[in-house]
Amino acid sequence: MRHLKAFEDALAGIHGEGRYRVFVDLHRQRGRFPIATARFPDQDDEREITVWCSNDYLGMGQDETVIEAMHEAIDSFGAGSGGTRNISGTTRFHVDLEKELASLHNKTGALLFTSGYVANEATLSTLGKILPDLIIYSDALNHASMIEGIKRSGCERRIFRHNDVEHLRALMANDPADRPKLIAFESVYSMDGDFGPIAEICDLADEFDAITYLDEVHAVGMYGHEGAGVAQRDNVMDRVDIIEGTLAKAYGVMGGYIAGDLTMIDAIRSMASGFIFTTSTCPVMAAGALASVSKLRSAEGVRLRQIHQAKAAQLKQKMLDAGLPVMASESHIVPLLIGDPERCKALSDTLLFDFGIYVQPINYPTVPKGTERLRFTPSPVHSEEMMNDLVAALLAIWKQLGMETAQPAA
């Protein structure tokens, strides 16, 4: 094969830096989350494990209401959608889900995409076509999908230091007042677990007449009295122009979306190539997502969110008490700083193979070099016994690798 050596060299470089990623072949067991079985290429048997890194934060991918809705949809509609949204691929589930999402965020319109990545990339790249001479201000830690969409927009872009509102202000003040502006940022930054300063950024948007674009993918379903996200929790949802979310994390299914003013949404729908030329989400996925969003808007959703926050706090405290280097995190994300890719992988491998505990190492380019970490996502159904087993396993491996812990808390 021509140029094969270039591919071999690229892989060798990744291996050499200790950041080659190995997929774990999982068999999720309906009704037993977070228990699963893992199959390894060099072994014939499957091993039962506990999953600690799923983005199915609330276990809704195992929820009976969601599964039943998907069964009914596939029995009624079949498997695929049959085309793009423009050409025979719009079903009542797509229409009803978009209405539900618009209502969730108290907006007049919403648009469904096949993933959160596509929603960000397609929307941000299209805004540059709609708003000539647009300047986009982007938080330094924004997700890769936002960065890619901003690059493809062709707009001038300014990168402000993470969550640094004063730096953002200085950048905006330095640009012509009459040019259109957009601020792109997140509500929960998934690798560090910190929150974006939504109200303060909205204040700047008011001052400089800028559009606000808020990525809530790690917050929808998780925060606010209906699960609409951090903006709802903080009572600033009406101040955000475009909210982007996912159906693949707290909602436990698949897909992404944006919500905002109907005219704005309609223009994006009519011009975004990532929407126009993609086969629409399978009706079964849309039906499951609709059931999940609806359930998490109810009292049951409130209960699940309360339990979930308590579990995350409990795990953080157990790790702190054990002297493990938990990174400061205000949200449900529990990141454990390792700071070295090879040790990070060694920890992950030993947890999996020796203790039946699965957590994926997070290395560059997902996080900066030197900040490699294990990222834990406890759910409402992770028990205290599971937490105790996890902390004990971590301490044993920590000692085995010659790593020091902090003085345990009193």
Side-chain angles (χ1 to χ4, degrees):
M1 179 181 173
R2 285 172 288 183
H3 308 295
L4 183 60
K5 189 175 185 306
F7 293 91
E8 293 171 342
D9 290 345
L11 282 172
I14 294 171
H15 277 287
E17 294 176 10
R19 58 184 183 90
Y20 180 76
R21 304 181 186 204
V22 178
F23 298 152
V24 177
D25 181 350
L26 293 179
H27 177 188
R28 281 162 59 102
Q29 299 176 16
R30 177 177 172 180
R32 295 194 68 204
F33 182 77
I35 301 300
T37 52
R39 183 175 61 182
F40 303 101
D42 56 343
Q43 299 175 12
D44 294 329
D45 63 330
E46 292 188 345
R47 186 179 310 172
E48 189 170 278
I49 62 169
T50 303
V51 179
W52 277 100
C53 55
S54 175
N55 282 340
D56 186 0
Y57 292 133
L58 302 176
M60 293 301 289
Q62 304 284 305
D63 183 83
E64 289 299 326
T65 303
V66 174
I67 293 171
E68 184 180 343
M70 296 178 79
H71 275 300
E72 290 178 358
I74 201 165
D75 288 342
S76 174
F77 281 72
S81 66
T84 66
R85 287 291 298 277
N86 295 319
I87 305 175
S88 81
T90 295
T91 70
R92 70 184 61 175
F93 289 120
H94 296 91
V95 174
D96 290 350
L97 178 55
E98 286 175 342
K99 288 179 180 177
E100 183 78 7
L101 291 167
S103 171
L104 173 70
H105 294 290
N106 198 27
K107 305 296 184 186
T108 52
L111 188 64
L112 187 62
F113 293 83
T114 51
S115 74
Y117 190 104
V118 174
N120 271 333
E121 183 184 47
T123 302
L124 287 165
S125 63
T126 302
L127 290 170
K129 303 173 189 175
I130 297 172
L131 295 161
D133 219 18
L134 176 67
I135 301 173
I136 299 180
Y137 303 84
S138 176
D139 188 285
L141 294 188
N142 275 344
H143 190 266
S145 58
M146 299 174 77
I147 295 169
E148 187 62 28
I150 292 167
K151 286 180 180 177
R152 287 190 56 232
S153 73
C155 299
E156 286 187 39
R157 56 187 184 271
R158 315 279 188 256
I159 312 301
F160 62 92
R161 289 186 293 269
H162 177 53
N163 280 350
D164 191 334
V165 178
E166 289 308 311
H167 186 217
L168 174 58
R169 171 187 287 279
L171 292 173
M172 298 183 80
N174 194 49
D175 285 318
D178 59 346
R179 287 187 63 178
K181 300 174 177 65
L182 180 143
I183 308 169
F185 63 111
E186 300 183 32
S187 61
V188 176
Y189 290 86
S190 64
M191 291 301 121
D192 291 344
D194 57 338
F195 292 109
I198 302 174
E200 291 87 343
I201 288 177
C202 287
D203 290 341
L204 277 185
D206 291 342
E207 182 179 345
F208 290 93
D209 194 25
I211 295 170
T212 45
Y213 183 100
L214 177 63
D215 179 311
E216 289 251 43
V217 295
H218 289 276
V220 288
M222 306 291 293
Y223 298 91
H225 63 278
E226 293 178 290
V230 178
Q232 185 181 57
R233 183 199 69 177
D234 295 350
N235 295 313
V236 292
M237 197 160 58
D238 61 318
R239 302 184 65 192
V240 178
D241 296 301
I242 302 175
I243 293 174
E244 186 266 348
T246 184
L247 303 166
K249 292 182 170 61
Y251 294 122
V253 192
M254 187 178 179
Y257 66 89
I258 57 171
D261 178 85
L262 181 58
T263 300
M264 187 181 290
I265 297 298
D266 199 19
I268 294 165
R269 178 191 70 83
S270 302
M271 297 180 67
S273 58
F275 173 82
I276 294 169
F277 299 107
T278 299
T279 298
S280 66
T281 303
C282 292
V284 63
M285 295 291 185
L290 179 59
S292 186
V293 172
S294 178
K295 184 165 185 174
L296 289 182
R297 294 184 76 177
S298 71
E300 175 63 13
V302 174
R303 187 187 71 85
L304 280 173
R305 285 187 285 276
Q306 290 172 343
I307 296 171
H308 184 263
Q309 290 293 323
K311 295 281 188 177
Q314 185 180 28
L315 180 61
K316 289 177 193 175
Q317 193 58 54
K318 284 181 180 293
M319 288 184 173
L320 286 169
D321 290 345
L324 294 168
V326 183
M327 300 171 67
S329 165
E330 307 164 86
S331 70
H332 58 282
I333 307 294
V334 185
L336 192 64
L337 181 64
I338 310 302
D340 176 85
E342 293 183 356
R343 277 187 167 177
C344 199
K345 187 176 186 310
L347 271 160
S348 174
D349 287 349
T350 307
L351 282 169
L352 181 61
F353 292 113
D354 293 355
F355 295 92
I357 292 170
Y358 174 43
V359 58
Q360 192 71 14
I362 306 294
N363 295 329
Y364 177 84
T366 306
V367 295
K369 292 180 180 180
T371 68
E372 293 83 5
R373 67 201 64 177
L374 298 177
R375 175 182 174 273
F376 298 90
T377 54
S379 75
V381 291
H382 279 89
S383 67
E384 185 170 6
E385 182 182 0
M386 289 175 181
M387 294 184 193
N388 291 336
D389 289 345
L390 169 62
V391 172
L394 283 168
L395 288 174
I397 303 168
W398 225 260
K399 185 176 181 180
Q400 178 184 328
L401 294 177
M403 299 166 66
E404 293 185 2
T405 58
Q407 184 67 33

